[in-house]
Amino acid sequence: GNSVTQMEGPVTLSEEAFLTINCTYTATGYPSLFWYVQYPGEGLQLLLKATKADDKGSNKGFEATYRKETTSFHLEKGSVQVSDSAVYFCALAPGSGGSNYKLTFGKGTLLTVNP
Amino acid sequence: KAGVTQTPRYLIKTRGQQVTLSCSPISGHRSVSWYQQTPGQGLQFLFEYFSETQRNKGNFPGRFSGRQFSNSRSEMNVSTLELGDSALYLCASSLYGPNTGELFFGEGSRLTVL
């Protein structure tokens, strides 16, 4: 079945530091890939997505590139802010040809950014 | 446009009781998914409904059940509660389902079982 493995946290950075959170996946077919973010006390919200190989998703200074050859979708940001402190989830959807109708999530990575 | 609404937000039950959680999706969304979130297991898929039909179910015991109504609102029920059922239960809606599209999550219902 489909699975997502992401970097274990927690990750603690200083403001303006560079962020990478690694994510690799196992899937059949042509999955879509997502990064979701969960701020304290809230539900998850979509941060960015990519639906095919070599696509780059970007939002709020975050980027991730869908690499089929390495089955990866690493999240990066050049300069983090205190407001980026949250839990980040990598997720996989089976794509339009899939029939299992669910997003598969990684375990989440807690990011804390200190001023 | 109103977001996904989950009720109740917080509840405390004792072992052996049962609980019903409710989810109102974004207007026009026909797919509703449920997830259980715990610190140890992360986000675990419970089930997905589309137009009142359950299309997928996760690996949870039969004590966990759900349904969707004709207005797309969904409920999930947990019977004979166990301590390990303490978790944040998240509902998410989408237009056609989670396969290619974005899921819109509610803030969750936090269940504590004593």
Side-chain angles (χ1 to χ4, degrees):
Chain A
N2 298 336
S3 67
V4 174
T5 302
Q6 69 179 96
M7 181 173 144
E8 296 278 336
V11 173
T12 303
L13 296 173
S14 298
E15 207 164 23
E16 299 184 4
F18 184 84
L19 169 71
T20 299
I21 301 177
N22 290 337
C23 171
T24 57
Y25 68 90
T26 303
T28 55
Y30 304 94
S32 296
L33 300 172
F34 305 82
W35 278 99
Y36 279 81
V37 59
Q38 186 177 33
Y39 297 102
E42 299 183 12
L44 280 70
Q45 55 186 274
L46 180 69
L47 180 59
L48 53 85
K49 68 178 182 181
T51 58
K52 61 183 188 298
D54 300 326
D55 266 3
K56 178 187 280 189
S58 61
N59 186 26
K60 298 182 182 179
F62 290 90
E63 292 183 338
T65 301
Y66 186 159
R67 302 280 189 207
K68 196 166 175 65
E69 64 275 14
T70 54
T71 62
S72 66
F73 192 55
H74 304 320
L75 182 68
E76 296 183 335
K77 186 175 186 182
S79 176
V80 294
Q81 306 299 312
V82 172
S83 56
D84 294 327
S85 298
V87 181
Y88 292 82
F89 293 91
C90 185
L92 176 153
S96 58
S99 61
N100 64 1
Y101 302 110
K102 70 174 186 180
L103 279 190
T104 300
F105 286 90
K107 287 197 176 287
T109 302
L110 172 62
L111 170 66
T112 301
V113 180
N114 295 318
Chain B
K1 184 153 115 167
V4 177
T5 304
Q6 291 189 245
T7 56
R9 288 291 314 279
Y10 302 92
L11 65 167
I12 299 173
K13 295 285 188 178
T14 57
R15 278 182 300 175
Q17 288 187 308
Q18 67 102 26
V19 67
T20 299
L21 308 178
S22 179
C23 172
S24 293
I26 291 171
S27 177
H29 285 191
R30 296 164 64 187
S31 167
V32 172
S33 302
W34 288 90
Y35 287 83
Q36 181 196 65
Q37 186 178 19
T38 59
Q41 298 298 316
L43 283 157
Q44 306 258 77
F45 172 76
L46 282 156
F47 16 69
E48 191 261 356
Y49 289 89
F50 183 83
S51 292
E52 301 180 69
T53 298
Q54 185 183 87
R55 297 194 293 188
N56 197 5
K57 187 179 191 316
N59 295 322
F60 279 81
R63 301 185 296 107
F64 291 80
S65 63
R67 58 179 175 168
Q68 186 181 33
F69 302 95
S70 58
N71 62 358
S72 294
R73 191 177 70 84
S74 178
E75 289 181 348
M76 66 163 284
N77 184 276
V78 188
S79 62
T80 320
L81 284 166
E82 300 177 359
L83 296 179
D85 297 333
S86 294
L88 181 67
Y89 290 87
L90 290 166
C91 164
S93 75
S94 63
L95 271 172
Y96 303 115
N99 279 21
T100 56
E102 175 182 356
L103 290 188
F104 293 83
F105 282 82
E107 293 182 313
S109 293
R110 184 166 294 281
L111 170 65
T112 301
V113 182
L114 302 176

